Amino acid sequence: MRRLVLVLYILVMVVCTMWGEGVDWKNDPNTDWYTKNQGSTEFSISTAADLAGLAKLVNEGVNGVNGGNPVDFTDKTITLTANITLNDKVLEDGGRLVGSTNALKSWTPIGNNDNPFAGTFDGNNKTVSGVYIESDGFCLGLFGCLYEGGKIENVGVVNSYVKGTGAGDIGGVCGVSSGSISNSYNAGSVEGTGESVGGVCGYSSGSISNSYNTGSVTGAGASAGGVCGSISGGSISNSYNVGSVTGTGDNVGGVCGINSDGKISNSYNAGLVTGTGEGAHVGGVCGSLSLFFQIEDCFYLAGTAKEGVGDEDEDQTGDGTETGVESVTLDNFANKVKSWKTETSSDVWQGDASYKDGRLYLPSFDEDNPVVCYPPVPSIDGGGFYNIYTATQLRWFAKKVNGDVEESDGEGNKDDEINGKLMQDITVSGLELDADGKPINAGDINPQNYWTPIGNNDSPFTGTFDGNGYKVSGVYID
């Protein structure tokens, strides 16, 4: 029996070693993959410790290598050969940060303002999961700063939480880029109180192509965007966003917060875009355009924002105008995406677009795993009922009844009879009650998740609401 236990223990240890589990990557990053092969231009990494070693080499260097100075990876390629998990669980279901972060290890981005990453990082169609950052610094993401000529490609950042409370430039994949980001995506939560907050990248003067964001983006600074917070002289092409984008600052956009002297082409948005700042510029594709901008062949799902571009600098003519942005209704959206896929002229996009059972199925980098999302605006069935699947759709329904939905956001107005039907259980906040029915975590609930009742004194609810046997939980009104 003891011998069997010993054999099992050895097997477990071997597996853990192979996959890098059980290694304290935070305090013991591995740089052997580089230091033992410094003359090469091609490197492979496969564990969390290897990835942390890359950050250490780029940001500060190690003894015995390059005189102990940071390593310049120009003309060198690092290839990811396995999915990497930095933390097991960062987000709860629904995309909220876990209640307790005590067990999470904070990630230090690869590259910073003084020592940006200048090489090529090839994710090899693998993912980095569990990136956790809460910092008052800037240039935050899996990568902090990407230098001109540097490349990030073929990588997905998933189950991650990146929050910056400092100057800004916050993104899931990269904080600041003057290089190129391609064939990459973010499926984690990104928040920032400073300038330029975006799903894939915070601020870019380089190029972003064939990339997408499904995570929520929340910005309190000048600009927030689904793919990129702001571009300046850079470009976004063949990319899309389906995550919610919320901003309290000046510029909020589904694809990009602000485009200054840059170009956005053949890109689209299907995520809800909300701007709560006074005089905020809110657009389904871009919040604001300025200088000699270009924007062409872009579209957004009708109802995600009032208009395609929130504000266009009237003092600059540019090469592109709001005419380069189209609003597309839900019933035509899948077909529009099919045409978009053809226009990308890229074989990186796999699978086809469709809409069924209340969900949009969109092309991804894996034909067997399409991006699946519920559109923020519910569809109407043959009986005239809005079919409500999510908290976002239920909130939209409340706004519709209360007369707070713009005419362009959906058919009808507050005087119409509006009917709704639940299609599954819905949780509208993370509210928890004690045994006496009193809130125990009300202080942790984002005010944006406070509930606004359906119907008010000016616009009472006069339609039919069919719970359809389902329930709504987490209603919190203060």
Side-chain angles (χ1 to χ4, degrees):
M1 182 65 181
R2 290 181 179 177
R3 181 176 296 176
L4 177 60
V5 171
L6 178 60
V7 170
L8 290 174
Y9 176 80
I10 293 173
L11 287 174
V12 170
M13 292 303 294
V14 168
V15 171
C16 288
T17 300
M18 288 177 62
W19 292 99
E21 301 295 338
V23 175
D24 184 1
W25 59 263
K26 179 71 174 178
N27 295 307
D28 191 20
N30 177 42
T31 59
D32 288 350
W33 55 268
Y34 177 78
T35 59
K36 294 182 178 181
N37 196 24
Q38 295 181 48
S40 178
T41 58
E42 302 282 339
F43 304 91
S44 297
I45 61 175
S46 61
T47 69
D50 291 346
L51 192 66
L54 174 61
K56 184 175 180 64
L57 287 164
V58 174
N59 297 341
E60 57 186 272
V62 297
N63 292 332
V65 178
N66 194 34
N69 297 309
V71 175
D72 182 358
F73 278 89
T74 300
D75 297 327
K76 296 180 174 64
T77 299
I78 297 94
T79 301
L80 202 57
T81 59
N83 294 330
I84 288 178
T85 299
L86 298 173
N87 291 287
D88 287 329
K89 187 174 184 181
V90 173
L91 301 178
E92 301 280 9
D93 294 339
R96 295 184 298 272
L97 180 66
V98 292
S100 174
T101 61
N102 293 336
L104 300 180
K105 298 175 182 177
S106 180
W107 174 250
T108 299
I110 302 166
N112 53 44
N113 192 52
D114 294 325
N115 303 294
F117 178 71
T120 295
F121 182 88
D122 183 358
N124 193 28
N125 299 317
K126 301 296 191 293
T127 62
V128 176
S129 174
V131 176
Y132 170 66
I133 300 172
E134 285 196 76
S135 170
D136 61 359
F138 63 102
C139 301
L140 304 178
L142 173 62
F143 285 78
C145 293
L146 181 66
Y147 195 61
E148 184 177 356
K151 298 178 181 179
I152 301 171
E153 56 192 25
N154 307 318
V155 67
V157 176
V158 302
N159 182 36
S160 297
Y161 181 82
V162 180
K163 181 178 181 179
T165 58
D169 300 333
I170 318 297
V173 177
C174 186
V176 173
S177 171
S178 56
S180 69
I181 301 173
S182 63
N183 307 349
S184 298
Y185 65 94
N186 173 64
S189 175
V190 181
E191 298 181 19
T193 59
E195 308 291 321
S196 304
V197 180
V200 175
C201 186
Y203 173 92
S204 174
S205 58
S207 65
I208 301 173
S209 63
N210 296 317
S211 297
Y212 65 89
N213 173 65
T214 66
S216 63
V217 176
T218 305
S223 58
V227 175
C228 190
S230 62
I231 61 173
S232 178
S235 65
I236 300 174
S237 63
N238 302 339
S239 299
Y240 70 83
N241 170 68
V242 298
S244 64
V245 183
T246 304
T248 60
D250 295 333
N251 308 294
V252 190
V255 175
C256 183
I258 182 170
N259 171 10
S260 177
D261 199 24
K263 181 177 182 179
I264 305 173
S265 62
N266 203 42
S267 298
Y268 69 87
N269 171 61
L272 187 65
V273 185
T274 305
T276 60
E278 184 177 354
H281 306 136
V282 182
V285 172
C286 190
S288 181
L289 302 171
S290 66
L291 299 177
F292 299 99
F293 64 85
Q294 289 180 284
I295 183 165
E296 58 189 34
D297 300 324
C298 294
F299 59 98
Y300 67 102
L301 177 63
T304 57
K306 180 182 177 181
E307 51 196 351
V309 176
D311 174 71
E312 183 178 324
D313 190 338
E314 297 179 355
D315 295 329
Q316 301 288 345
T317 57
D319 294 320
T321 68
E322 194 171 338
T323 56
V325 178
E326 179 183 359
S327 173
V328 181
T329 58
L330 182 58
D331 55 344
N332 293 318
F333 201 78
N335 286 333
K336 184 67 175 180
V337 174
K338 290 178 182 179
S339 299
W340 166 86
K341 179 185 173 184
T342 301
E343 291 296 323
T344 64
S345 301
S346 173
D347 58 5
V348 67
W349 296 109
Q350 301 295 311
D352 221 340
S354 63
Y355 177 70
K356 56 185 177 182
D357 299 326
R359 284 174 275 197
L360 278 170
Y361 293 78
L362 302 172
S364 70
F365 303 142
D366 181 353
E367 186 172 9
D368 296 327
N369 292 286
V371 169
V372 182
C373 67
Y374 288 100
V377 179
S379 60
I380 302 178
D381 63 22
F385 282 76
Y386 283 103
N387 290 175
I388 301 169
Y389 289 86
T390 68
T392 298
Q393 292 180 348
L394 188 60
R395 293 181 190 282
W396 182 93
F397 182 81
K399 290 176 62 178
K400 181 72 173 174
V401 172
N402 298 343
D404 295 329
V405 169
E406 297 288 344
E407 194 71 26
S408 61
D409 287 352
E411 296 179 359
N413 55 53
K414 69 178 183 180
D415 297 322
D416 293 332
E417 182 180 276
I418 303 171
N419 306 312
K421 181 188 293 184
L422 293 185
M423 305 304 291
Q424 59 187 11
D425 291 340
I426 292 176
T427 300
V428 295
S429 79
L431 179 68
E432 297 179 8
L433 304 178
D434 61 18
D436 297 324
K438 297 180 180 180
I440 59 177
N441 65 334
D444 297 330
I445 298 176
N446 190 319
Q448 294 173 358
N449 291 330
Y450 290 179
W451 180 249
T452 299
I454 300 171
N456 55 39
N457 190 56
D458 294 328
S459 303
F461 181 60
T462 60
T464 299
F465 189 89
D466 183 359
N468 202 22
Y470 297 107
K471 63 179 183 291
V472 177
S473 60
V475 175
Y476 181 69
I477 301 173
D478 185 4

